[in-house]
Amino acid sequence: MSSTRPLRVAIVGAGPAGIYAADILSKTDLDVSIDLFERLPAPFGLVRYGVAPDHPRIKGIINALHKVLSKGDVRLLANVNYGVDLKLEDLRQYYDAVVFSTGAIKDAALPIPGIDLDGSYGAADFVSWFDGHPDVPRTWPLDAQHVAVLGAGNVALDVSRILAKHPKDLMSTEIPANVQAGLEASPVTDVHVFARRGPAQVKFSPLELRELGHVPDVDIVVYPEDFDFDEGSMQAIEATNQTKQVVKTLTDWTLVEPSQQTASRRIHLHFLHSPAEVLGEDGKVTGLRTERTALQGDGTVKGTGEFHDWPVQAVYRAVGYFGSPLPEIPFDDLKGVISNREGRVVDLDGEHLPGVYTTGWIKRGPVGLIGHTKSDASETIRHLVEDVTGVGDGGDVTEGSPEGGRTAPHGEPQQIVDFLAERGVDVITWDEFSLLDAHELSLGETAGRERVKVVPREEMIDIAKGRHS
């Protein structure tokens, strides 16, 4: 084992967090060779499969991530499933350090009666469906006229907007054909969004909220009796311009005369309503029961004992995402993250597992915007560099040991490729993904859009491998 070869680093998860980490690591003083593993046939993670198709501005982040991978100093190995195709003990044979950036893709639990009834769904699953995730069914049960969405963040707005928006107004986006067909058949007329706290406590971004008011033939309905501001609310409004803008937008909507609301579909925004029970009959959702809450002076709320039943036929919970445990990796089941200290993965005794790191939502939980993963990745990579060089600044390794940290017995780049080939894994490289990327763009050209996603996993693989006719 030579100490002069490049440091070999594997990053598991090719979403924004993993790509940012790879880019930051490639710009350090280390002589480093980086492989980026991805479970799906395509990279970009949450940006590709977690952002609504009618938000091209956010989708534009893919362009920046695309540039990182197209430079050639980070190798993409997609369609490789950690925990199935290889595990940590395998990676440690071929890499001196491993960074996990697998994100958080499951819906957080909402433990209220009736949440498991037929017609009760997780927002993350619905987002995966309308974004064309290859691992979800091609159809979605859109048979409800009245729908409840539980949550006070941007995901709740995305779900509500996609449900209420007329499919013809999505035709310029990359929405898959099966999703368009499903939405065309939807009988929905009213979507009710329920927030447990008041208007000053919601987590909507100002831009997302304003966009909601510009959806064609969809009225936004708010209720003055849901507006209450305690001392904590006023402090929040004064503290951030974002909260001030959100409250202004919501307040302006209370001034709209009902006679002006003539659209065929409506999104109702309800505040100070906490979900108490999903109501059902014969195993199916028939309604939602909420409890009126009251602000307590500091922005928190408590129940008042006043309940209201809403006749809805479907309920979507958008109360947050939650991470999934990975084989052989210490996991915090309460927080839904890999156990770590500033990106260094730690065992039950709090000791760092040598050479194992984490970044992104699986490191800190599903909070913050996509751009926040950059600073997150910087912290993790700084510690990785410190550990392999023995210097504390995480960047300039000239005073440390730039040739240290080489622990993998099989450190040649081709060796991991051979290992995966022996296991029959159909690895997709960046050049092969580019074939899929070009194919999707060509489909978009034909359809008069920017892109049309290829959805089934096997079809994606065949196109990338040149086996598609």
Side-chain angles (χ1 to χ4, degrees):
M1 179 174 56
S2 170
S3 63
T4 59
R5 65 167 172 80
L7 186 82
R8 293 278 288 143
V9 177
I11 299 176
V12 180
I19 296 174
Y20 287 143
D23 188 42
I24 292 166
L25 180 58
S26 72
K27 293 174 180 175
T28 66
D29 295 336
L30 284 176
D31 180 16
V32 62
S33 169
I34 306 166
D35 285 346
L36 188 62
F37 288 88
E38 171 55 48
R39 181 178 65 85
L40 298 174
F44 308 131
L46 182 68
V47 181
R48 181 178 169 99
Y49 292 119
V51 175
D54 58 347
H55 274 168
R57 178 185 56 83
I58 301 176
K59 291 280 187 182
I61 296 172
I62 283 184
N63 295 332
L65 302 179
H66 196 286
K67 289 179 181 178
V68 174
L69 295 184
S70 63
K71 288 190 302 182
D73 52 1
V74 175
R75 183 170 66 170
L76 176 68
L77 300 175
N79 199 43
V80 180
N81 191 357
Y82 176 82
V84 176
D85 299 325
L86 78 180
K87 295 183 180 179
L88 181 61
E89 61 181 324
D90 303 314
L91 289 171
R92 295 313 309 271
Q93 292 293 307
Y94 302 99
Y95 297 94
D96 307 304
V98 182
V99 181
F100 288 93
S101 56
T102 50
I105 60 173
K106 284 187 175 181
D107 285 285
L110 181 62
I112 61 174
I115 198 67
D116 294 325
L117 285 169
D118 184 13
S120 175
Y121 310 107
D125 292 335
F126 183 58
V127 170
S128 292
W129 175 73
F130 68 59
D131 259 331
H133 195 293
D135 290 346
V136 301
R138 303 278 71 79
T139 59
W140 190 271
L142 292 166
D143 51 12
Q145 183 179 357
H146 301 96
V147 179
V149 178
L150 313 179
N154 287 339
V155 174
L157 293 187
D158 284 347
V159 169
S160 304
R161 192 181 63 257
I162 294 296
L163 284 169
K165 202 168 190 175
H166 292 278
K168 64 182 178 63
D169 295 317
L170 291 166
M171 288 307 296
S172 62
T173 74
E174 60 183 38
I175 185 171
N178 65 293
V179 176
Q180 176 200 342
L183 293 172
E184 288 280 6
S186 171
V188 68
T189 59
D190 292 82
V191 179
H192 296 263
V193 183
F194 294 94
R196 193 172 56 85
R197 297 198 288 169
Q201 286 79 41
V202 295
K203 300 300 181 183
F204 307 142
S205 69
L207 180 59
E208 286 248 5
L209 193 63
R210 286 196 299 271
E211 286 178 352
L212 200 67
H214 297 291
V215 179
D217 195 32
V218 176
D219 282 330
I220 308 302
V221 184
V222 295
Y223 300 87
E225 63 267 27
D226 289 350
F227 277 64
D228 190 18
F229 301 94
D230 61 358
E231 185 177 344
S233 299
M234 300 311 297
Q235 289 173 354
I237 293 169
E238 292 301 318
T240 69
N241 192 47
Q242 175 165 314
T243 301
K244 187 178 299 182
Q245 291 181 56
V246 165
V247 169
K248 181 182 185 306
T249 299
L250 293 171
T251 303
D252 287 346
W253 283 336
T254 67
L255 305 177
V256 177
E257 291 292 335
S259 61
Q260 297 176 351
Q261 296 180 319
T262 58
S264 66
R265 294 180 175 180
R266 291 157 293 279
I267 296 176
H268 307 255
L269 301 179
H270 303 275
F271 306 103
L272 300 171
H273 282 275
S274 179
E277 181 179 357
V278 179
L279 307 175
E281 188 174 317
D282 297 327
K284 295 183 178 296
V285 171
T286 60
L288 174 73
R289 178 168 295 159
T290 63
E291 181 181 12
R292 170 66 78 178
T293 59
L295 289 161
Q296 297 301 291
D298 58 357
T300 63
V301 295
K302 73 173 183 178
T304 64
E306 176 189 342
F307 293 89
H308 187 88
D309 291 353
W310 308 84
V312 298
Q313 300 84 48
V315 174
Y316 291 77
R317 67 183 187 278
V319 294
Y321 289 85
F322 202 76
S324 301
L326 300 169
E328 302 179 340
I329 307 300
F331 192 74
D332 186 326
D333 292 302
L334 292 177
K335 296 180 180 178
V337 299
I338 290 175
S339 301
N340 75 94
R341 188 166 52 248
E342 295 186 344
R344 291 182 172 108
V345 175
V346 297
D347 60 20
L348 292 175
D349 297 322
E351 296 296 323
H352 177 211
L353 291 182
V356 186
Y357 304 85
T358 185
T359 191
W361 278 6
I362 198 64
K363 166 190 173 183
R364 60 183 165 85
V367 293
L369 302 176
I370 292 172
H372 293 162
T373 57
K374 283 186 178 180
S375 58
D376 206 35
S378 294
E379 178 183 67
T380 294
I381 296 305
R382 174 167 53 82
H383 287 317
L384 187 157
V385 173
E386 290 171 358
D387 292 343
V388 299
T389 63
V391 295
D393 58 19
D396 182 4
V397 303
T398 55
E399 296 182 7
S401 174
E403 296 181 356
R406 275 65 169 175
T407 58
H410 307 295
E412 293 300 319
Q414 183 60 34
Q415 290 178 298
I416 184 64
V417 175
D418 294 340
F419 170 82
L420 292 169
E422 289 173 6
R423 293 203 165 183
V425 181
D426 227 347
V427 178
I428 293 176
T429 65
W430 175 250
D431 287 342
E432 290 169 331
F433 166 73
S434 296
L435 294 177
L436 173 63
D437 194 42
H439 183 80
E440 291 184 336
L441 290 171
S442 70
L443 292 177
E445 265 185 45
T446 303
R449 312 185 204 177
E450 180 181 348
R451 159 194 309 276
V452 173
K453 281 182 185 170
V454 174
V455 178
R457 175 187 281 267
E458 290 307 316
E459 185 177 348
M460 294 174 70
I461 296 170
D462 285 344
I463 293 170
K465 291 295 184 180
R467 301 193 291 251
H468 181 75
S469 58

